[in-house]
Amino acid sequence: TARLIRSKGVGVYFVTQAPTDVPSSVLAQLGNRVQHALRAFTPEDADNLKKTARTFPMTDFYDVEKLLTSLGIGEAAVTVLSPKGVPTPLAATRLVAPDSSMSPISDDQFASLVAASPLQAKYGTTVDRESAYEIIRGRIDAAATAAQAAAQAQAAAQPGVMPGTVATPGAPAGQVTMTPAEIRRLQQEAARQAKEQLKEQQREAREEAAAQKRLKAEQERAERERQRTINSTIRAGEHIATSRLGQDVIRGVFGTLFGGGKK
């Protein structure tokens, strides 16, 4: 993820208590490093300190392990990238405390900063572009207006029909019939009825599918009960056949059928 973000020209900053908190694959992508003091209280801390020291640029001026353990408050070991992209030598640095405000700025300060921004010339003017909804709405209104004008022109061309009315097919000439608004209402009513019929058909189809599903589930349950009964009967028969009493009964039955001879 860090590699992908940096490939887009975006800087990524990691702030952590110990360098070992960041995976090695991410540490390898870092350019600027500001390392504050590290303490080694356990053998694991000492191992981590040695690993951290080896990740800094080689230097003959500092004992990096000793430097990292002797830094005080406001001090850090710093190495950054030069303008040519080469890491600069390691330097023990005293940092200046940040001079900033944690509270929100006032509206006047915000307005002055925005006005002084070099991006004001490009992004300072609000542009209200025509939305897709407005474009589609305009097309629909234009089509409706054109249809109404065509209907009025057709009505005016027929003798005996008042402007603003439409002759019903098969109606006698000169008879005043429905207006375009009434025709639209009839069309909307027909569309509504067709939609309701479609919903009713879909509801009936869902109910039929649910009934078929319930019937199939009941059949499967009955089949499982039948198989369970058969298996229970078979297990009971096996138990009787393997018991001593069952063997005696079977021996007596076969003895009766085949002459009752003794063995």
Side-chain angles (χ1 to χ4, degrees):
T1 303
R3 198 175 292 121
L4 176 61
I5 294 174
R6 292 184 69 249
S7 67
K8 306 302 180 183
V10 180
V12 185
Y13 291 83
F14 295 91
V15 181
T16 178
Q17 186 71 20
T20 53
D21 295 338
V22 182
S24 300
S25 58
V26 176
L27 287 174
Q29 297 291 317
L30 300 182
N32 304 331
R33 294 190 61 179
V34 179
Q35 178 65 59
H36 291 277
L38 290 176
R39 308 299 182 217
F41 298 106
T42 64
E44 291 78 7
D45 293 340
D47 293 339
N48 294 332
L49 178 62
K50 293 180 180 179
K51 294 178 182 179
T52 302
R54 289 200 302 268
T55 61
F56 283 94
M58 299 297 296
T59 176
D60 297 331
F61 188 77
Y62 293 106
D63 182 350
V64 181
E65 294 185 27
K66 184 177 180 181
L67 171 65
L68 295 180
T69 56
S70 61
L71 291 173
I73 298 175
E75 298 178 348
V78 179
T79 175
V80 297
L81 292 180
S82 66
K84 294 184 179 181
V86 180
T88 59
L90 183 65
T93 308
R94 182 178 297 277
L95 305 178
V96 178
D99 183 12
S100 61
S101 174
M102 297 298 294
S103 62
I105 62 176
S106 62
D107 294 339
D108 295 338
Q109 291 176 327
F110 179 78
S112 61
L113 291 174
V114 170
S117 173
L119 301 177
Q120 175 67 19
K122 183 176 181 181
Y123 298 105
T125 304
T126 303
V127 178
D128 185 11
R129 294 185 175 88
E130 189 176 12
S131 65
Y133 171 80
E134 294 172 344
I135 295 174
I136 296 174
R137 185 73 263 175
R139 292 177 181 176
I140 294 175
D141 295 341
T145 302
Q148 184 176 4
Q152 291 178 354
Q154 183 180 1
Q158 295 181 1
V161 179
M162 296 177 58
T165 60
V166 177
T168 304
Q175 181 180 355
V176 177
T177 55
M178 293 183 294
T179 63
E182 294 174 341
I183 292 177
R184 284 196 298 272
R185 284 196 297 270
L186 290 177
Q187 292 175 347
Q188 293 174 356
E189 181 65 21
R192 185 184 62 79
Q193 293 179 358
K195 187 175 181 180
E196 291 178 353
Q197 292 177 358
L198 179 60
K199 288 183 178 180
E200 182 66 21
Q201 293 175 358
Q202 292 176 348
R203 185 184 62 81
E204 293 176 355
R206 288 194 298 269
E207 291 178 353
E208 183 178 359
Q212 292 290 340
K213 186 176 181 180
R214 288 194 298 269
L215 178 60
K216 184 177 179 181
E218 291 175 357
Q219 292 176 350
E220 292 176 352
R221 185 165 55 252
E223 180 64 20
R224 288 194 298 270
E225 291 292 338
R226 189 176 70 85
Q227 291 294 335
R228 190 179 297 110
T229 302
I230 294 174
N231 294 334
S232 300
T233 303
I234 293 174
R235 285 194 297 271
E238 292 176 350
H239 177 71
I240 293 174
T242 55
S243 64
R244 182 59 180 266
L245 178 61
Q247 292 176 357
D248 294 338
V249 171
I250 294 173
R251 188 178 299 110
V253 172
F254 278 97
T256 302
L257 292 176
F258 295 102
K262 295 183 179 180
K263 295 183 180 179

